[in-house]
Amino acid sequence: SDVDLTNVKMAMNPFCEIAVEEAVRLKERGVATEVVAVTIGPKAAQEQLRTALALGADRAVHIDTSAETDERVESLAVAKLLAKVVEEEQPGLVILGKQAIDTDNNQTGQMLAALAGLSQGTFASEVKLSGDEGDKTLQVTREIDGGLQTVELTLPAIVTTDLRLNEPRYAKLPDIMKAKKKPLVVTTPAELGVEVASKVTLLKVESPAERQGGIKVGSVDELVDKLKNEAKVL
């Protein structure tokens, strides 16, 4: 019926690791004053928050969905929950991974930008902050089909990370130990006033149909013959 996750050890999405790394680097450069990591999921998801804290985040927020649903929370519900966090925290910059690697969705950052009414720079491979304290702008180099595109955003803004933005560091043992003492606040979708029930029903999961191997033909006439008489597409 679906992928069996029994005894599977979860890990942070690689794109989100890049987002955490970029936020920590901004703080190390003196651009950011605080890094807050946020995740949405069951209690076990706190392990990923502790990883973010070990990598350099200052505190964490866990939106616990254990009592709400046994299923994966969909992108729109995630964006609505994050919008509530943005409303409460008032961050200068929100950095997310560009997509999930399980569902492969690439939606949450864009939905969050729309819900929060903030500018957005997606698929970021480079992020530069400029301007004085009261009037900072963000230049985001985006990886698009035609090459690279640079957009300038006013803060606060939403950025989603691509693979080439940075190389995430490894958490050191002392930092992992320190992470256990950093603040981690737990809230729920109900407390934030957001409904997370799934709007999509999984009907079935099946393997794709088997396909025959391809063949090489010696001439155009032979190709046309096979398309007409064997494949019957002509």
Side-chain angles (χ1 to χ4, degrees), residues 16-80:
C16 293
E17 283 186 325
I18 293 169
V20 171
E21 175 66 26
E22 193 65 21
V24 172
R25 290 188 186 188
L26 288 172
K27 184 186 175 184
E28 290 173 342
R29 294 203 299 267
V31 174
T33 56
E34 184 184 40
V35 176
V36 182
V38 184
T39 197
I40 299 159
K43 187 175 181 180
Q46 289 187 15
E47 183 179 349
Q48 274 57 257
L49 285 178
R50 291 297 179 190
T51 298
L53 292 170
L55 292 172
D58 298 292
R59 57 188 175 92
V61 177
H62 174 213
I63 303 174
D64 189 351
T65 60
S66 300
E68 306 286 337
T69 178
D70 293 330
E71 300 175 7
R72 183 184 292 116
V73 181
E74 293 166 4
S75 301
L76 181 56
V78 170
K80 288 179 178 179

Short mmCIF file of all heavy atoms in Angstrom, two decimals, residues 16-80:
data_model
loop_
_atom_site.label_atom_id
_atom_site.label_comp_id
_atom_site.label_asym_id
_atom_site.label_seq_id
_atom_site.Cartn_x
_atom_site.Cartn_y
_atom_site.Cartn_z
N CYS A 16 17.19 20.99 3.15
CA CYS A 16 16.99 21.70 4.42
C CYS A 16 18.30 21.82 5.19
O CYS A 16 18.52 22.81 5.89
CB CYS A 16 15.93 21.00 5.27
SG CYS A 16 14.28 21.06 4.54
N GLU A 17 19.18 20.84 5.07
CA GLU A 17 20.51 20.96 5.66
C GLU A 17 21.25 22.16 5.07
O GLU A 17 21.93 22.90 5.79
CB GLU A 17 21.33 19.69 5.39
CG GLU A 17 20.96 18.51 6.25
CD GLU A 17 21.90 17.33 6.03
OE1 GLU A 17 22.35 17.13 4.88
OE2 GLU A 17 22.19 16.62 7.00
N ILE A 18 21.10 22.35 3.77
CA ILE A 18 21.72 23.50 3.11
C ILE A 18 21.12 24.80 3.63
O ILE A 18 21.82 25.80 3.84
CB ILE A 18 21.56 23.38 1.58
CG1 ILE A 18 22.39 22.20 1.06
CG2 ILE A 18 21.97 24.68 0.87
CD1 ILE A 18 22.11 21.82 -0.38
N ALA A 19 19.81 24.80 3.88
CA ALA A 19 19.14 25.98 4.41
C ALA A 19 19.66 26.31 5.81
O ALA A 19 19.93 27.48 6.13
CB ALA A 19 17.63 25.75 4.45
N VAL A 20 19.81 25.29 6.65
CA VAL A 20 20.36 25.51 8.00
C VAL A 20 21.77 26.06 7.92
O VAL A 20 22.14 27.02 8.61
CB VAL A 20 20.33 24.19 8.81
CG1 VAL A 20 21.09 24.37 10.13
CG2 VAL A 20 18.90 23.76 9.09
N GLU A 21 22.59 25.45 7.06
CA GLU A 21 23.98 25.90 6.90
C GLU A 21 24.04 27.36 6.48
O GLU A 21 24.84 28.14 7.01
CB GLU A 21 24.68 25.02 5.87
CG GLU A 21 26.10 25.45 5.52
CD GLU A 21 27.08 25.32 6.68
OE1 GLU A 21 26.84 24.47 7.57
OE2 GLU A 21 28.08 26.06 6.69
N GLU A 22 23.19 27.76 5.53
CA GLU A 22 23.21 29.14 5.05
C GLU A 22 22.81 30.10 6.16
O GLU A 22 23.41 31.18 6.32
CB GLU A 22 22.29 29.30 3.84
CG GLU A 22 22.47 30.61 3.09
CD GLU A 22 23.84 30.74 2.43
OE1 GLU A 22 24.50 29.71 2.20
OE2 GLU A 22 24.25 31.89 2.15
N ALA A 23 21.81 29.72 6.95
CA ALA A 23 21.38 30.57 8.07
C ALA A 23 22.49 30.72 9.09
O ALA A 23 22.76 31.83 9.59
CB ALA A 23 20.13 29.96 8.72
N VAL A 24 23.18 29.63 9.41
CA VAL A 24 24.28 29.68 10.37
C VAL A 24 25.43 30.54 9.84
O VAL A 24 26.04 31.32 10.58
CB VAL A 24 24.77 28.26 10.71
CG1 VAL A 24 26.04 28.30 11.56
CG2 VAL A 24 23.67 27.48 11.45
N ARG A 25 25.71 30.43 8.55
CA ARG A 25 26.78 31.25 7.96
C ARG A 25 26.43 32.74 8.03
O ARG A 25 27.30 33.58 8.26
CB ARG A 25 27.03 30.84 6.50
CG ARG A 25 27.68 29.47 6.36
CD ARG A 25 28.08 29.20 4.92
NE ARG A 25 28.59 27.84 4.75
CZ ARG A 25 29.15 27.39 3.64
NH1 ARG A 25 29.27 28.18 2.58
NH2 ARG A 25 29.59 26.14 3.57
N LEU A 26 25.16 33.07 7.81
CA LEU A 26 24.73 34.47 7.91
C LEU A 26 24.95 34.99 9.33
O LEU A 26 25.35 36.14 9.54
CB LEU A 26 23.26 34.61 7.51
CG LEU A 26 22.95 34.44 6.03
CD1 LEU A 26 21.45 34.40 5.79
CD2 LEU A 26 23.58 35.57 5.21
N LYS A 27 24.70 34.15 10.31
CA LYS A 27 24.92 34.55 11.70
C LYS A 27 26.42 34.70 11.97
O LYS A 27 26.85 35.65 12.64
CB LYS A 27 24.31 33.53 12.65
CG LYS A 27 24.45 33.94 14.11
CD LYS A 27 23.96 32.87 15.06
CE LYS A 27 24.25 33.30 16.50
NZ LYS A 27 23.90 32.27 17.48
N GLU A 28 27.22 33.78 11.45
CA GLU A 28 28.67 33.85 11.67
C GLU A 28 29.28 35.09 11.03
O GLU A 28 30.29 35.62 11.52
CB GLU A 28 29.34 32.59 11.11
CG GLU A 28 29.02 31.32 11.91
CD GLU A 28 29.55 30.06 11.27
OE1 GLU A 28 29.84 30.08 10.05
OE2 GLU A 28 29.66 29.03 11.97
N ARG A 29 28.67 35.59 9.96
CA ARG A 29 29.16 36.81 9.32
C ARG A 29 28.62 38.07 9.99
O ARG A 29 28.91 39.18 9.55
CB ARG A 29 28.77 36.81 7.83
CG ARG A 29 29.45 35.74 7.01
CD ARG A 29 29.49 36.09 5.54
NE ARG A 29 28.18 36.24 4.95
CZ ARG A 29 27.51 35.27 4.34
NH1 ARG A 29 28.06 34.05 4.26
NH2 ARG A 29 26.33 35.48 3.80
N GLY A 30 27.81 37.88 11.03
CA GLY A 30 27.26 39.03 11.73
C GLY A 30 26.05 39.64 11.06
O GLY A 30 25.58 40.71 11.45
N VAL A 31 25.52 38.95 10.04
CA VAL A 31 24.34 39.46 9.31
C VAL A 31 23.07 39.13 10.07
O VAL A 31 22.17 39.95 10.20
CB VAL A 31 24.30 38.86 7.89
CG1 VAL A 31 23.01 39.27 7.19
CG2 VAL A 31 25.51 39.31 7.10
N ALA A 32 22.98 37.91 10.59
CA ALA A 32 21.82 37.48 11.36
C ALA A 32 22.19 37.45 12.85
O ALA A 32 23.35 37.23 13.21
CB ALA A 32 21.37 36.09 10.92
N THR A 33 21.21 37.68 13.70
CA THR A 33 21.45 37.68 15.14
C THR A 33 20.99 36.39 15.80
O THR A 33 21.50 36.02 16.86
CB THR A 33 20.70 38.85 15.82
OG1 THR A 33 19.30 38.76 15.49
CG2 THR A 33 21.24 40.19 15.33
N GLU A 34 20.04 35.69 15.16
CA GLU A 34 19.52 34.45 15.74
C GLU A 34 19.02 33.53 14.64
O GLU A 34 18.45 34.00 13.65
CB GLU A 34 18.37 34.77 16.72
CG GLU A 34 17.83 33.54 17.44
CD GLU A 34 16.64 33.86 18.33
OE1 GLU A 34 15.78 34.67 17.91
OE2 GLU A 34 16.57 33.30 19.44
N VAL A 35 19.23 32.24 14.84
CA VAL A 35 18.74 31.23 13.89
C VAL A 35 17.74 30.34 14.63
O VAL A 35 18.07 29.75 15.65
CB VAL A 35 19.89 30.37 13.33
CG1 VAL A 35 19.33 29.27 12.43
CG2 VAL A 35 20.89 31.24 12.57
N VAL A 36 16.52 30.28 14.09
CA VAL A 36 15.46 29.46 14.69
C VAL A 36 15.11 28.35 13.70
O VAL A 36 14.73 28.63 12.57
CB VAL A 36 14.20 30.30 15.00
CG1 VAL A 36 13.14 29.43 15.67
CG2 VAL A 36 14.56 31.49 15.88
N ALA A 37 15.24 27.11 14.14
CA ALA A 37 14.89 25.96 13.29
C ALA A 37 13.46 25.54 13.59
O ALA A 37 13.04 25.52 14.75
CB ALA A 37 15.85 24.81 13.55
N VAL A 38 12.72 25.18 12.54
CA VAL A 38 11.31 24.78 12.70
C VAL A 38 11.07 23.48 11.95
O VAL A 38 11.55 23.33 10.81
CB VAL A 38 10.35 25.86 12.14
CG1 VAL A 38 8.90 25.47 12.40
CG2 VAL A 38 10.66 27.22 12.76
N THR A 39 10.34 22.56 12.55
CA THR A 39 9.92 21.37 11.82
C THR A 39 8.48 21.03 12.18
O THR A 39 7.98 21.44 13.24
CB THR A 39 10.84 20.16 12.11
OG1 THR A 39 10.62 19.17 11.09
CG2 THR A 39 10.55 19.53 13.45
N ILE A 40 7.84 20.29 11.31
CA ILE A 40 6.44 19.89 11.48
C ILE A 40 6.38 18.38 11.31
O ILE A 40 6.80 17.84 10.29
CB ILE A 40 5.55 20.59 10.43
CG1 ILE A 40 5.63 22.11 10.62
CG2 ILE A 40 4.11 20.10 10.51
CD1 ILE A 40 5.23 22.89 9.40
N GLY A 41 5.86 17.68 12.32
CA GLY A 41 5.79 16.23 12.24
C GLY A 41 5.60 15.60 13.60
O GLY A 41 5.36 16.31 14.59
N PRO A 42 5.70 14.28 13.69
CA PRO A 42 5.52 13.59 14.97
C PRO A 42 6.67 13.87 15.93
O PRO A 42 7.64 14.54 15.57
CB PRO A 42 5.47 12.11 14.56
CG PRO A 42 6.25 12.06 13.29
CD PRO A 42 5.99 13.35 12.59
N LYS A 43 6.58 13.31 17.12
CA LYS A 43 7.60 13.58 18.15
C LYS A 43 8.99 13.19 17.68
O LYS A 43 9.99 13.84 18.03
CB LYS A 43 7.24 12.83 19.43
CG LYS A 43 8.13 13.17 20.60
CD LYS A 43 7.67 12.51 21.88
CE LYS A 43 8.58 12.90 23.05
NZ LYS A 43 8.13 12.27 24.32
N ALA A 44 9.09 12.13 16.88
CA ALA A 44 10.40 11.67 16.40
C ALA A 44 11.13 12.73 15.59
O ALA A 44 12.36 12.69 15.44
CB ALA A 44 10.24 10.41 15.57
N ALA A 45 10.39 13.72 15.04
CA ALA A 45 11.00 14.77 14.23
C ALA A 45 11.90 15.68 15.05
O ALA A 45 12.70 16.43 14.49
CB ALA A 45 9.92 15.58 13.52
N GLN A 46 11.79 15.61 16.38
CA GLN A 46 12.65 16.44 17.23
C GLN A 46 14.12 16.09 17.04
O GLN A 46 15.00 16.92 17.28
CB GLN A 46 12.24 16.30 18.70
CG GLN A 46 10.92 16.95 19.03
CD GLN A 46 10.61 16.94 20.50
OE1 GLN A 46 11.48 16.70 21.34
NE2 GLN A 46 9.36 17.20 20.86
N GLU A 47 14.39 14.87 16.63
CA GLU A 47 15.78 14.47 16.38
C GLU A 47 16.41 15.34 15.31
O GLU A 47 17.58 15.71 15.39
CB GLU A 47 15.83 12.99 15.96
CG GLU A 47 17.24 12.46 15.76
CD GLU A 47 17.26 10.99 15.36
OE1 GLU A 47 16.20 10.33 15.45
OE2 GLU A 47 18.34 10.52 14.96
N GLN A 48 15.62 15.68 14.28
CA GLN A 48 16.14 16.55 13.21
C GLN A 48 16.34 17.97 13.72
O GLN A 48 17.28 18.67 13.29
CB GLN A 48 15.17 16.55 12.02
CG GLN A 48 15.40 15.43 11.05
CD GLN A 48 15.33 14.05 11.69
OE1 GLN A 48 16.35 13.42 11.94
NE2 GLN A 48 14.13 13.58 11.98
N LEU A 49 15.49 18.42 14.64
CA LEU A 49 15.69 19.74 15.24
C LEU A 49 16.97 19.77 16.06
O LEU A 49 17.71 20.76 16.05
CB LEU A 49 14.49 20.12 16.11
CG LEU A 49 13.22 20.54 15.37
CD1 LEU A 49 12.11 20.84 16.37
CD2 LEU A 49 13.47 21.75 14.48
N ARG A 50 17.23 18.71 16.81
CA ARG A 50 18.47 18.66 17.59
C ARG A 50 19.68 18.68 16.67
O ARG A 50 20.72 19.26 17.01
CB ARG A 50 18.48 17.39 18.47
CG ARG A 50 17.46 17.42 19.59
CD ARG A 50 17.70 18.53 20.59
NE ARG A 50 16.70 18.55 21.65
CZ ARG A 50 16.56 19.52 22.54
NH1 ARG A 50 17.36 20.57 22.48
NH2 ARG A 50 15.62 19.47 23.46
N THR A 51 19.55 18.06 15.49
CA THR A 51 20.63 18.13 14.50
C THR A 51 20.86 19.56 14.07
O THR A 51 22.00 20.03 13.98
CB THR A 51 20.30 17.25 13.27
OG1 THR A 51 20.16 15.89 13.68
CG2 THR A 51 21.38 17.36 12.22
N ALA A 52 19.77 20.29 13.79
CA ALA A 52 19.89 21.69 13.39
C ALA A 52 20.52 22.52 14.50
O ALA A 52 21.34 23.41 14.24
CB ALA A 52 18.51 22.24 13.02
N LEU A 53 20.16 22.24 15.74
CA LEU A 53 20.74 22.97 16.88
C LEU A 53 22.23 22.66 17.00
O LEU A 53 23.03 23.54 17.32
CB LEU A 53 20.00 22.59 18.17
CG LEU A 53 18.54 23.08 18.27
CD1 LEU A 53 17.85 22.44 19.47
CD2 LEU A 53 18.48 24.60 18.36
N ALA A 54 22.60 21.42 16.74
CA ALA A 54 24.01 21.04 16.79
C ALA A 54 24.81 21.70 15.67
O ALA A 54 26.01 21.96 15.82
CB ALA A 54 24.15 19.52 16.70
N LEU A 55 24.15 21.97 14.55
CA LEU A 55 24.81 22.62 13.43
C LEU A 55 24.96 24.12 13.62
O LEU A 55 25.66 24.78 12.84
CB LEU A 55 24.05 22.34 12.13
CG LEU A 55 24.08 20.89 11.64
CD1 LEU A 55 23.12 20.68 10.48
CD2 LEU A 55 25.49 20.47 11.26
N GLY A 56 24.28 24.68 14.64
CA GLY A 56 24.46 26.10 14.92
C GLY A 56 23.21 26.92 15.14
O GLY A 56 23.29 28.10 15.46
N ALA A 57 22.03 26.32 14.98
CA ALA A 57 20.79 27.05 15.28
C ALA A 57 20.73 27.35 16.78
O ALA A 57 21.27 26.61 17.60
CB ALA A 57 19.57 26.25 14.85
N ASP A 58 20.07 28.46 17.14
CA ASP A 58 20.03 28.90 18.54
C ASP A 58 18.88 28.28 19.32
O ASP A 58 19.02 27.98 20.51
CB ASP A 58 19.91 30.43 18.60
CG ASP A 58 21.11 31.09 17.96
OD1 ASP A 58 22.22 31.00 18.52
OD2 ASP A 58 20.96 31.69 16.88
N ARG A 59 17.74 28.12 18.67
CA ARG A 59 16.59 27.50 19.31
C ARG A 59 15.71 26.86 18.25
O ARG A 59 15.94 27.06 17.05
CB ARG A 59 15.79 28.51 20.15
CG ARG A 59 15.28 29.72 19.41
CD ARG A 59 14.67 30.74 20.39
NE ARG A 59 14.28 31.96 19.71
CZ ARG A 59 13.06 32.19 19.19
NH1 ARG A 59 12.12 31.24 19.29
NH2 ARG A 59 12.77 33.32 18.59
N ALA A 60 14.72 26.11 18.70
CA ALA A 60 13.92 25.34 17.75
C ALA A 60 12.45 25.38 18.13
O ALA A 60 12.09 25.55 19.31
CB ALA A 60 14.42 23.90 17.69
N VAL A 61 11.61 25.19 17.13
CA VAL A 61 10.16 25.10 17.31
C VAL A 61 9.68 23.82 16.65
O VAL A 61 9.94 23.60 15.45
CB VAL A 61 9.43 26.31 16.69
CG1 VAL A 61 7.91 26.15 16.82
CG2 VAL A 61 9.88 27.61 17.34
N HIS A 62 9.01 22.98 17.42
CA HIS A 62 8.45 21.74 16.88
C HIS A 62 6.93 21.84 16.88
O HIS A 62 6.31 22.00 17.93
CB HIS A 62 8.88 20.54 17.73
CG HIS A 62 8.24 19.26 17.32
ND1 HIS A 62 7.90 18.25 18.19
CD2 HIS A 62 7.84 18.81 16.08
CE1 HIS A 62 7.35 17.25 17.54
NE2 HIS A 62 7.29 17.57 16.26
N ILE A 63 6.33 21.75 15.70
CA ILE A 63 4.86 21.70 15.58
C ILE A 63 4.49 20.22 15.51
O ILE A 63 4.67 19.58 14.48
CB ILE A 63 4.37 22.49 14.35
CG1 ILE A 63 4.87 23.93 14.42
CG2 ILE A 63 2.86 22.44 14.27
CD1 ILE A 63 4.56 24.76 13.19
N ASP A 64 4.01 19.70 16.63
CA ASP A 64 3.78 18.26 16.79
C ASP A 64 2.43 17.87 16.18
O ASP A 64 1.38 18.33 16.64
CB ASP A 64 3.81 17.91 18.28
CG ASP A 64 3.81 16.41 18.52
OD1 ASP A 64 3.62 15.65 17.56
OD2 ASP A 64 3.99 16.01 19.68
N THR A 65 2.47 17.01 15.17
CA THR A 65 1.25 16.58 14.48
C THR A 65 0.79 15.20 14.93
O THR A 65 -0.12 14.63 14.32
CB THR A 65 1.47 16.57 12.96
OG1 THR A 65 2.54 15.65 12.65
CG2 THR A 65 1.84 17.94 12.45
N SER A 66 1.40 14.65 15.97
CA SER A 66 1.09 13.28 16.40
C SER A 66 -0.40 13.09 16.67
O SER A 66 -0.99 12.06 16.31
CB SER A 66 1.89 12.92 17.65
OG SER A 66 3.27 13.01 17.39
N ALA A 67 -1.02 14.07 17.32
CA ALA A 67 -2.43 13.94 17.70
C ALA A 67 -3.37 14.32 16.57
O ALA A 67 -4.57 14.06 16.65
CB ALA A 67 -2.71 14.81 18.93
N GLU A 68 -2.83 14.92 15.50
CA GLU A 68 -3.67 15.43 14.42
C GLU A 68 -3.89 14.42 13.31
O GLU A 68 -4.98 14.24 12.80
CB GLU A 68 -3.04 16.71 13.82
CG GLU A 68 -2.72 17.79 14.85
CD GLU A 68 -3.95 18.50 15.33
OE1 GLU A 68 -4.96 18.49 14.62
OE2 GLU A 68 -3.89 19.07 16.44
N THR A 69 -2.82 13.74 12.91
CA THR A 69 -2.92 12.84 11.77
C THR A 69 -1.78 11.83 11.81
O THR A 69 -0.69 12.13 12.29
CB THR A 69 -2.87 13.61 10.44
OG1 THR A 69 -2.91 12.69 9.35
CG2 THR A 69 -1.61 14.45 10.33
N ASP A 70 -2.04 10.64 11.32
CA ASP A 70 -1.00 9.62 11.20
C ASP A 70 -0.32 9.70 9.84
O ASP A 70 0.65 8.99 9.58
CB ASP A 70 -1.60 8.22 11.38
CG ASP A 70 -2.10 8.00 12.80
OD1 ASP A 70 -1.52 8.60 13.72
OD2 ASP A 70 -3.08 7.25 12.98
N GLU A 71 -0.85 10.56 8.97
CA GLU A 71 -0.33 10.64 7.61
C GLU A 71 0.62 11.81 7.46
O GLU A 71 0.72 12.68 8.32
CB GLU A 71 -1.51 10.78 6.63
CG GLU A 71 -2.50 9.63 6.67
CD GLU A 71 -3.70 9.87 5.78
OE1 GLU A 71 -3.69 10.85 5.03
OE2 GLU A 71 -4.64 9.06 5.83
N ARG A 72 1.33 11.84 6.35
CA ARG A 72 2.23 12.95 6.05
C ARG A 72 1.43 14.24 5.88
O ARG A 72 0.41 14.27 5.20
CB ARG A 72 3.00 12.63 4.77
CG ARG A 72 4.03 13.67 4.39
CD ARG A 72 4.68 13.34 3.07
NE ARG A 72 5.51 12.15 3.16
CZ ARG A 72 5.26 11.03 2.50
NH1 ARG A 72 4.19 10.94 1.73
NH2 ARG A 72 6.07 10.00 2.61
N VAL A 73 1.90 15.31 6.49
CA VAL A 73 1.24 16.60 6.36
C VAL A 73 1.57 17.18 4.99
O VAL A 73 2.74 17.23 4.59
CB VAL A 73 1.70 17.57 7.47
CG1 VAL A 73 0.99 18.91 7.32
CG2 VAL A 73 1.42 16.97 8.84
N GLU A 74 0.55 17.60 4.26
CA GLU A 74 0.74 18.07 2.89
C GLU A 74 1.30 19.50 2.83
O GLU A 74 1.24 20.24 3.80
CB GLU A 74 -0.59 17.96 2.13
CG GLU A 74 -1.03 16.52 1.93
CD GLU A 74 -2.48 16.39 1.49
OE1 GLU A 74 -3.13 17.43 1.26
OE2 GLU A 74 -2.96 15.25 1.38
N SER A 75 1.81 19.85 1.66
CA SER A 75 2.55 21.10 1.49
C SER A 75 1.76 22.34 1.91
O SER A 75 2.31 23.24 2.56
CB SER A 75 2.98 21.26 0.03
OG SER A 75 3.80 20.18 -0.37
N LEU A 76 0.49 22.42 1.55
CA LEU A 76 -0.30 23.61 1.87
C LEU A 76 -0.47 23.75 3.38
O LEU A 76 -0.36 24.86 3.92
CB LEU A 76 -1.67 23.55 1.18
CG LEU A 76 -2.59 24.76 1.43
CD1 LEU A 76 -1.90 26.05 1.01
CD2 LEU A 76 -3.91 24.59 0.69
N ALA A 77 -0.72 22.64 4.07
CA ALA A 77 -0.84 22.69 5.53
C ALA A 77 0.48 23.11 6.16
O ALA A 77 0.51 23.90 7.12
CB ALA A 77 -1.30 21.34 6.07
N VAL A 78 1.60 22.60 5.63
CA VAL A 78 2.91 23.00 6.13
C VAL A 78 3.12 24.50 5.95
O VAL A 78 3.56 25.19 6.87
CB VAL A 78 4.03 22.22 5.39
CG1 VAL A 78 5.40 22.79 5.72
CG2 VAL A 78 3.98 20.75 5.76
N ALA A 79 2.76 25.02 4.78
CA ALA A 79 2.92 26.45 4.51
C ALA A 79 2.05 27.28 5.44
O ALA A 79 2.48 28.33 5.94
CB ALA A 79 2.57 26.74 3.05
N LYS A 80 0.84 26.83 5.72
CA LYS A 80 -0.05 27.56 6.64
C LYS A 80 0.53 27.58 8.06
O LYS A 80 0.46 28.59 8.75
CB LYS A 80 -1.44 26.93 6.63
CG LYS A 80 -2.23 27.17 5.36
CD LYS A 80 -3.60 26.51 5.40
CE LYS A 80 -4.40 26.80 4.15
NZ LYS A 80 -5.74 26.14 4.17
#
